[in-house]
Coordinates of all heavy atoms in Angstrom, one line a residue:
L1 N 0.9 -1.2 0.0 CA 0.0 0.0 0.0 C 0.9 1.2 0.0 O 1.9 1.3 0.7 CB -0.9 0.0 1.2 CG -1.7 -1.2 1.5 CD1 -2.7 -0.9 2.6 CD2 -2.4 -1.7 0.3
M2 N 0.5 2.2 -0.8 CA 1.3 3.5 -0.9 C 0.4 4.6 -0.7 O -0.6 4.7 -1.5 CB 2.0 3.6 -2.2 CG 3.1 2.5 -2.4 SD 3.9 2.8 -4.0 CE 5.1 1.4 -4.0
G3 N 0.7 5.6 0.2 CA -0.1 6.8 0.3 C 0.8 8.0 0.4 O 1.9 7.9 1.0
G4 N 0.4 9.0 -0.2 CA 1.3 10.2 -0.3 C 0.5 11.5 0.1 O -0.6 11.7 -0.5
G5 N 0.9 12.3 1.0 CA 0.2 13.5 1.4 C -1.2 13.2 1.9 O -1.4 12.3 2.7
I6 N -2.2 14.0 1.3 CA -3.6 13.8 1.7 C -4.2 12.5 1.1 O -5.3 12.2 1.4 CB -4.4 15.0 1.4 CG1 -5.6 15.2 2.3 CG2 -4.8 15.1 -0.1 CD1 -5.3 15.2 3.8
G7 N -3.4 11.8 0.3 CA -3.7 10.5 -0.2 C -3.5 9.4 0.9 O -3.8 8.2 0.6
I8 N -2.9 9.7 2.0 CA -2.6 8.8 3.1 C -3.9 8.4 3.8 O -4.1 7.2 4.0 CB -1.6 9.4 4.1 CG1 -0.2 9.5 3.5 CG2 -1.6 8.6 5.4 CD1 0.8 10.2 4.3
P9 N -4.8 9.3 4.2 CA -6.0 8.9 5.0 C -6.8 7.7 4.4 O -7.1 6.8 5.1 CB -6.8 10.2 5.1 CG -5.7 11.2 5.1 CD -4.7 10.7 4.1
P10 N -7.2 7.7 3.1 CA -8.0 6.7 2.6 C -7.4 5.3 2.6 O -8.1 4.3 2.5 CB -8.3 7.1 1.1 CG -7.3 8.1 0.8 CD -7.0 8.8 2.1
M11 N -6.0 5.3 2.8 CA -5.3 4.0 2.8 C -5.5 3.3 4.2 O -5.3 2.1 4.3 CB -3.9 4.1 2.5 CG -3.6 4.8 1.2 SD -4.4 4.1 -0.2 CE -3.5 2.6 -0.4
L12 N -6.0 4.0 5.2 CA -6.1 3.4 6.5 C -7.2 2.4 6.5 O -7.1 1.3 7.0 CB -6.3 4.5 7.6 CG -6.5 4.0 9.0 CD1 -5.2 3.3 9.4 CD2 -6.7 5.1 10.0
Q13 N -8.4 2.7 5.9 CA -9.5 1.7 5.8 C -9.1 0.6 5.0 O -9.4 -0.6 5.3 CB -10.7 2.4 5.3 CG -12.0 1.5 5.2 CD -12.5 1.0 6.5 OE1 -12.3 1.7 7.5 NE2 -13.2 -0.1 6.5
L14 N -8.3 0.8 4.0 CA -7.9 -0.3 3.1 C -6.9 -1.2 3.9 O -7.0 -2.4 3.9 CB -7.2 0.2 1.9 CG -6.5 -0.8 0.9 CD1 -7.6 -1.8 0.4 CD2 -5.8 -0.1 -0.2
A15 N -6.0 -0.6 4.7 CA -5.1 -1.4 5.5 C -5.9 -2.2 6.5 O -5.6 -3.5 6.8 CB -4.1 -0.5 6.2
K16 N -6.9 -1.7 7.1 CA -7.7 -2.4 8.0 C -8.4 -3.6 7.4 O -8.5 -4.7 8.0 CB -8.8 -1.5 8.7 CG -8.2 -0.5 9.7 CD -9.3 0.4 10.2 CE -10.4 -0.3 11.0 NZ -11.4 0.6 11.5
E17 N -9.0 -3.3 6.2 CA -9.8 -4.4 5.6 C -8.9 -5.6 5.1 O -9.2 -6.7 5.2 CB -10.6 -3.8 4.4 CG -11.8 -2.9 4.9 CD -12.6 -2.4 3.8 OE1 -12.5 -3.0 2.7 OE2 -13.3 -1.4 4.0
L18 N -7.7 -5.2 4.6 CA -6.8 -6.2 4.1 C -6.3 -7.0 5.4 O -6.2 -8.3 5.3 CB -5.6 -5.6 3.4 CG -5.9 -5.1 2.0 CD1 -4.7 -4.3 1.5 CD2 -6.2 -6.3 1.0
S19 N -5.9 -6.3 6.4 CA -5.5 -7.1 7.6 C -6.6 -8.0 8.1 O -6.3 -9.1 8.5 CB -5.1 -6.1 8.7 OG -4.8 -6.7 9.9
G20 N -7.8 -7.5 8.1 CA -9.0 -8.4 8.5 C -9.1 -9.6 7.7 O -9.7 -10.6 8.1
A21 N -8.7 -9.5 6.4 CA -8.8 -10.6 5.5 C -7.6 -11.5 5.5 O -7.5 -12.4 4.7 CB -9.0 -10.1 4.1
G22 N -6.7 -11.2 6.5 CA -5.5 -12.0 6.7 C -4.3 -11.7 5.7 O -3.4 -12.5 5.5
V23 N -4.4 -10.5 5.0 CA -3.4 -10.2 4.0 C -2.2 -9.4 4.8 O -2.5 -8.4 5.4 CB -3.9 -9.3 2.9 CG1 -2.8 -8.9 1.9 CG2 -5.1 -10.0 2.2
E24 N -1.0 -9.9 4.7 CA 0.1 -9.2 5.2 C 0.6 -8.2 4.2 O 0.9 -8.5 3.1 CB 1.2 -10.2 5.6 CG 0.9 -11.1 6.7 CD 2.1 -12.0 7.2 OE1 3.2 -11.7 6.7 OE2 1.9 -12.8 8.0
T25 N 0.8 -6.9 4.6 CA 1.1 -5.9 3.7 C 2.3 -5.1 4.1 O 2.6 -5.0 5.3 CB -0.1 -4.9 3.5 OG1 -0.4 -4.3 4.8 CG2 -1.3 -5.6 3.0
D26 N 3.0 -4.5 3.1 CA 4.0 -3.5 3.4 C 3.2 -2.2 3.1 O 2.6 -2.0 2.1 CB 5.2 -3.6 2.5 CG 6.2 -4.7 3.0 OD1 6.9 -4.4 3.9 OD2 6.1 -5.8 2.4

């Protein structure tokens, strides 16, 4: 997952959903 500037906030929900699905992410 990559977030830059004000593009960082929407990546938080994505990180949560992927983690909940058992996906390990950088």
Side-chain angles (χ1 to χ4, degrees):
L1 309 188
M2 296 180 177
I6 205 60
I8 290 172
M11 305 309 288
L12 184 59
Q13 180 65 25
L14 177 59
K16 286 178 62 176
E17 292 185 18
L18 286 169
S19 177
V23 181
E24 294 186 6
T25 60
D26 281 281

